[in-house]
Amino acid sequence: MRYWLMKSEPSVYSIDDLAKEKTAAWQGVRNYQARNLMRDGMRLGDRAFFYHSNCEEPGIVGIVEVRRLAYPDETQFNRNSEYFDPASTRRNPRWLNVDVGFMRKTRLVSLDELRRHKALAGMQVLKRGNRLSVTPVTAVEWQFVMKLLRRGTARPPGEDGPP
DNA sequence: GCCAACGTTGGC
DNA sequence: GCCAACGTTGGC
């Protein structure tokens, strides 16, 4: 199983929206690198952190799974969609999306908290100038964040508390 | 193929 | 709303 981090602006599509919908097409990705990661990297059952971006409290807010492999993003064909791409055709679609399924909400693991842990310093989402809406997460990074979640509340690195 | 101009992302 | 950091576009 592979691990990912997927960004969404909560004002556009939030973890609560997905919690209601259960499964959703991850539409609107208009970046070739992110598209290629979905197309070539994602497998059924892969897990991803749902990340709220461009908002008051950016950070991880939930966990989702890949429920359908990449297929053409319908919004690119829709003239009325903000994601419409006149250069894309049904025969030769340019943009793809996977379907993701809701697993659970998590407490907010804020961008600030992520940055405080050395173990996560390599996470792509933390790198300067990063703009990719889909990024790979290593198994080690995934497990580390899962441990933070199990621990419950935010705590500075190096401070061992009760289990 | 270069690269300046432009558009977008996203934290702050 | 600002602006740094990118990605894309298009003239040459």
Side-chain angles (χ1 to χ4, degrees):
Chain A
M1 185 193 306
R2 295 178 183 177
Y3 303 101
W4 308 92
L5 182 143
M6 302 172 82
K7 287 190 214 171
S8 183
E9 301 189 16
S11 61
V12 176
Y13 196 83
S14 72
I15 188 68
D16 288 321
D17 293 324
L18 184 61
K20 265 182 248 161
E21 273 198 276
K22 308 296 185 206
T23 300
W26 199 259
Q27 294 174 327
V29 172
R30 294 294 181 269
N31 171 286
Y32 290 106
Q33 249 181 293
R35 179 203 67 182
N36 294 349
L37 285 171
M38 288 197 290
R39 184 190 61 194
D40 306 328
M42 286 189 175
R43 304 170 181 176
L44 290 179
D46 280 2
R47 300 290 157 89
F49 292 127
F50 193 117
Y51 179 99
H52 279 173
S53 69
N54 203 11
C55 58
E56 206 157 308
E57 293 184 300
I60 292 168
V61 292
I63 295 172
V64 304
E65 73 174 344
V66 175
R67 296 227 173 118
R68 185 177 165 189
L69 296 175
Y71 62 98
D73 180 338
E74 269 305 309
T75 61
Q76 73 196 304
F77 307 122
N78 179 0
R79 279 179 186 288
N80 299 320
S81 169
E82 59 173 316
Y83 301 122
F84 177 65
D85 184 347
S88 197
T89 62
R90 293 261 175 203
R91 180 181 291 268
N92 195 11
R94 183 179 290 188
W95 306 112
L96 308 172
N97 63 256
V98 295
D99 282 356
V100 297
F102 177 79
M103 297 197 68
R104 66 185 181 93
K105 289 176 69 168
T106 65
R107 73 169 173 86
L108 171 73
V109 184
S110 70
L111 178 59
D112 189 65
E113 181 180 355
L114 292 172
R115 284 196 201 286
R116 288 206 300 271
H117 294 284
K118 267 215 184 83
L120 302 177
M123 281 187 82
Q124 213 163 314
V125 72
L126 302 182
K127 295 203 173 143
R128 207 168 63 121
N130 165 73
R131 287 168 46 186
L132 272 190
S133 60
V134 177
T135 52
V137 171
T138 68
V140 171
E141 291 160 352
W142 181 272
Q143 293 306 334
F144 190 91
V145 174
M146 293 307 283
K147 199 171 65 183
L148 293 182
L149 290 172
R150 243 175 278 126
R151 205 165 70 182
T153 57
R155 182 190 294 146
E159 249 185 62
D160 286 325

